[in-house]
Amino acid sequence: FQRVKFNSAPVILHFPANGKRKKEDKFDLERRGVNAEAIAKWVKERTEVNIEVIRPPNYTNAILLGFFLFAVSGTLLIKGNSLDFLYKWKYWAVTSMLIMFAMTSGQMWLHIRGAPFAHVDRNTGKTSFIHGGSSMMFVAESYIVAVVNAVIALGFIMMADAPKDPTNLNSKYMSYGGLGLVVIFFSLLLAIFRMKHRGYPYSLLF
């Protein structure tokens, strides 16, 4: 690390046969990503060696499309000729929230970058589901963030939909339960944020 003047890993370097290393001889992980195609393109730029990347077929999109068509067909079959459910706001509210949770958790970034599900330390065997840096994340991490955001939203919904009768014990339990979910899981969200941004000074419960 001292010889190449780096204090973090991983780093991909090209050592030219003649002359000193240039700025372009360091692979830019943040800008190019960590997928094989990007690395192969960079190798060709630096060495003129062409590396062919062959990936197995990805059936994920086909499976998701089939599941979606199956769900739509099943719904129409159960409902028969009645499409009144399409005019119910709760269906659209739930659908919109699911899309928002997926997008705000970083699913689109992961789809573009092709990030790994998690990281297993070869020396200790410990599995990390949350990346320690702010410029990278794991698939498992996005699932965790999505679930935390969903529970926070559920807490706000419980507080908003609780009956307004102050003498109703169920109303109080529902309000306090929603408040507890918001406080606990928002504290967890801040803790995750501090793991990725070491200098962040704020926290709530932990």
Side-chain angles (χ1 to χ4, degrees):
F1 280 88
Q2 293 179 353
R3 179 177 298 178
V4 295
K5 298 179 180 180
F6 290 119
N7 54 10
S8 63
V11 178
I12 303 177
L13 300 175
H14 168 244
F15 294 88
N18 300 316
K20 296 182 179 180
R21 283 190 297 109
K22 300 178 181 179
K23 181 180 179 181
E24 293 78 12
D25 288 320
K26 178 186 175 184
F27 182 75
D28 193 341
L29 288 170
E30 294 186 6
R31 185 171 62 87
R32 293 176 177 259
V34 294
N35 58 72
E37 288 81 3
I39 298 176
K41 182 180 178 182
W42 175 77
V43 170
K44 184 177 180 180
E45 292 174 355
R46 305 312 303 161
T47 65
E48 298 183 357
V49 175
N50 186 27
I51 300 176
E52 184 180 3
V53 178
I54 301 176
R55 292 183 179 271
N58 187 0
Y59 300 104
T60 303
N61 294 332
I63 293 174
L64 291 177
L65 178 60
F67 178 78
F68 175 76
L69 294 176
F70 175 79
V72 172
S73 302
T75 303
L76 294 177
L77 182 63
I78 294 173
K79 293 294 183 179
N81 295 326
S82 175
L83 297 179
D84 293 339
F85 70 96
L86 293 176
Y87 298 96
K88 294 182 179 180
W89 66 269
K90 289 186 178 180
Y91 287 101
W92 296 107
V94 172
T95 303
S96 300
M97 292 182 70
L98 291 176
I99 294 174
M100 286 189 291
F101 294 146
M103 294 298 104
T104 55
S105 65
Q107 285 296 320
M108 186 58 64
W109 187 92
L110 294 169
H111 180 72
I112 295 173
R113 292 295 186 94
F117 182 83
H119 173 72
V120 179
D121 193 316
R122 295 182 178 179
N123 297 324
T124 62
K126 182 180 179 181
T127 303
S128 300
F129 296 104
I130 298 177
H131 195 277
S134 60
S135 60
M136 183 63 181
M137 69 182 304
F138 300 134
V139 175
E141 181 180 338
S142 70
Y143 294 158
I144 295 172
V145 172
V147 171
V148 170
N149 287 335
V151 176
I152 293 174
L154 176 63
F156 279 112
I157 293 173
M158 290 174 61
M159 289 189 291
D161 288 350
K164 301 303 186 289
D165 185 3
T167 60
N168 190 341
L169 290 179
N170 292 332
S171 174
K172 291 184 177 180
Y173 293 150
M174 190 171 178
S175 299
Y176 293 149
L179 179 60
L181 290 178
V182 171
V183 172
I184 293 173
F185 281 85
F186 188 75
S187 301
L188 179 60
L189 192 64
L190 286 177
I192 295 174
F193 190 81
R194 287 202 316 275
M195 291 176 63
K196 301 184 70 64
H197 299 266
R198 300 292 181 179
Y200 190 74
Y202 302 108
S203 62
L204 197 53
L205 295 181
F206 38 83

